Amino acid sequence: MSWRMPAETAPHERTWMAFPREGLTLGTEAAEREEGYAAWTAVAHAVAAFEPLTMVVDPSELERARRMLGSEIELVEAPLDEFWMRDFGPTFVVDDERPGVLGAVDWIFNGWGAPAWAEWRKAAEIARFVAARVGAELVNSVLVNEGGGIHVDGEGTVLLTETVQLDPNRNPYADRARVEAELARTIGSTHAVWLPRGLTRDYDDFGTNGHVDIVATIPSPGRLLLHAQGNPEHPDFEVTRELRALLAETTDAAGRPWDIVDLPAPETLRDHEGFVDWSYVNHLVVNDGVIACGFGEERADAAAREILAAAYPGRRVVTVDARPIFARGGGIHCITQQQPLLAPAAGAR
């Protein structure tokens, strides 16, 4: 078997999400909880305007999900304790030697390094649940990893971060070679581009310790969209300058130097918790569209839409307010997971 993770821009069969449930992540106050439910629902409806969407729902939230999501979104019931589908759900792969066969990588999920606050044991079962539901071949992995910790171009390149895959709370015995070998086996990567770190806020108690999907992404082979913090008052000003300089010295799997396109951060520097990690990089590509994070800044949101529209020609860019999602530890990309559309099997009619 030769598994390969397609680029996010490849055609999708559908997108998967998980509906919020009560707990620490959602919030302790009623208004906080309602804000969280509404944010996940808004993303779901935005995605469903472009392609089918299936929502995994904890039994305790089924009635609410039916009421808020309506009949256009498929609901499937499974126990949940977290709702970041990108991270605990399967990473879908294809086998180019067996058209029509779908694979689902089941990374080990331990709640982003098993912090004391995290509840993750139910979520860790969801990759297998989804794989069985769609009839995918399960690709078991020994790597503690999350879908938000990798980005690929579908042609062998993978972006990843030393503080995620080499995190001693995730993979205490791993080194670069072991991680790269496991990614080659599971997602077909042949060339790893390692970032030394992620954005500053992502190292707080409720962060992921450096997920790449708020830092950089590959909209097309040879091109990078890179988060750019332009205000020297923000610690990510230096972080993103250093990352840009490092990436400028690297290539993709084909040996091409990167065409790096800056995706400027919004103007807001802080929220009530500290410096924000608001990032337009954390968008979701869907069939004929892009679901972009919005941050309530008309000028900055519009500028991001222009850059994204140019990066993904022919796709309509739709902005959804992502501030309630970022307040809980991630963005639109973090709560979604695409399932690729398979090529028809040989002889299929």
Side-chain angles (χ1 to χ4, degrees), residues 106-251:
D106 179 21
W107 311 111
I108 296 174
F109 179 69
N110 73 347
W112 308 278
W117 59 266
E119 296 181 353
W120 45 266
R121 286 172 176 80
K122 293 177 181 177
E125 302 295 323
I126 295 299
R128 290 185 288 277
F129 168 80
V130 172
R133 185 167 183 90
V134 301
E137 292 189 14
L138 198 64
V139 183
N140 290 304
S141 177
V142 297
L143 190 68
V144 178
N145 188 39
E146 303 93 36
I150 55 174
H151 258 313
V152 302
D153 63 0
E155 298 184 1
T157 311
V158 62
L159 306 178
L160 61 171
T161 314
E162 292 178 3
T163 56
V164 174
Q165 285 80 17
L166 303 184
D167 178 3
N169 293 319
R170 287 175 167 102
N171 299 298
Y173 305 111
D175 56 19
R176 282 192 180 195
R178 289 180 177 179
V179 171
E180 290 177 21
E182 180 65 355
L183 293 175
R185 183 186 72 85
T186 54
I187 65 170
S189 59
T190 59
H191 179 73
V193 178
W194 287 89
L195 279 63
R197 59 158 299 153
L199 302 185
T200 300
R201 176 72 167 263
D202 209 14
Y203 294 89
D204 285 359
D205 288 344
F206 295 100
T208 70
N209 235 38
H211 270 189
V212 73
D213 71 349
I214 59 171
V215 180
T217 189
I218 309 172
S220 57
R223 176 170 287 180
L224 280 177
L225 287 174
L226 181 65
H227 179 70
Q229 175 52 254
N231 191 324
E233 297 177 18
H234 195 299
D236 286 337
F237 176 77
E238 290 296 335
V239 170
T240 56
R241 288 181 68 187
E242 291 171 6
L243 290 174
R244 198 182 204 285
L246 179 147
L247 288 165
E249 298 297 318
T250 66
T251 68

Side-chain angles (χ1 to χ4, degrees), residues 20-40 64 83 272-273 323-325 327-328:
R21 61 153 297 166
E22 291 194 12
L24 183 63
T25 300
L26 189 58
T28 56
E29 303 294 328
E32 286 182 304
R33 294 194 293 271
E34 290 304 321
E35 178 189 63
Y37 290 126
W40 262 251
R64 186 192 311 271
F83 29 94
H272 66 283
E273 296 287 343
R323 287 172 292 180
I325 308 173
R328 287 160 177 79

Side-chain angles (χ1 to χ4, degrees), residues 1-4 93-98 184-188:
M1 287 176 288
S2 181
W3 297 115
R4 178 179 64 85
V93 289
V94 298
D95 186 346
D96 294 325
E97 298 174 0
R98 298 184 297 160
R185 183 186 72 85
T186 54
I187 65 170

